[in-house]
Amino acid sequence: MGKTVLTYGTFDLFHIGHLNILKRLRGLGDQLIVGVSTDDFNAIKGKKPVVPFEQRIEIVRAIRYVDLAIPEDNWAQKREDIEKYNVDVFGIGEDWKGKFDDLEDKVEVVYLPRTSGISTTEMKRVLSAFDERHVDELKRTLDSISQIVKELS
C-alpha cells in the first residue's frame, strides 16, 4: 500500500486556499485523510465557524483529492489517528509551523505555505462589517443598478 497523508482543519467558508492545500497534500501521498474540526472542538479553540460542522465535512468529503473525511474532536486525536490509519505524513499549513513537531517520532511532519491573498479570518472580518444597515444599503444600490440596466436595455 502507498503513503497515507493526514491533515486537520476547520474548513470554514471553504475557499481556494483550502482547495490548494488539500491538492498539495494529496500530492504527497496516495491517500489523503482530512480531520474536520467539530463545532464543539472549535469552541474549545476559541473559534466560531460560520458554516455548521455537518456542512463543512460534506464539502470536504466532496473534494476529489480527499479519500476520507473524519470529525476532529480533540487535540490528542492526531496521535490516535496516526496509529489508527497507519499514517506516513502529517501535513498542515505553515501558520502552524513548529506546533506539531512532537509528532515527528511517528510520522514525517510537513508545513505547507498558505495561498497568498486569501484567508478565512480576513473573509470573516470583511463580512462582519456588513451589519443590517449596510446590507439594506447594498440591496438598494443593487436594485438601482438593476433598474438602470433595464432602462438602458
Side-chain angles (χ1 to χ4, degrees), residues 19 22-24 26 31-33 62-67:
L19 186 62
L22 293 176
K23 183 178 182 180
R24 288 192 306 250
R26 183 59 166 78
Q31 179 181 18
L32 176 60
I33 300 172
I63 305 300
R64 68 178 173 173
Y65 307 113
V66 176
D67 296 289

Side-chain angles (χ1 to χ4, degrees), residues 36-70:
V36 178
S37 300
T38 63
D39 293 336
D40 289 341
F41 186 45
N42 274 307
I44 292 167
K45 296 189 288 184
K47 292 182 174 184
K48 176 133 178 60
V50 173
V51 179
F53 168 74
E54 289 301 328
Q55 292 177 26
R56 290 183 288 109
I57 199 166
E58 281 305 309
I59 290 167
V60 171
R61 283 180 175 144
I63 305 300
R64 68 178 173 173
Y65 307 113
V66 176
D67 296 289
L68 177 65
I70 59 174

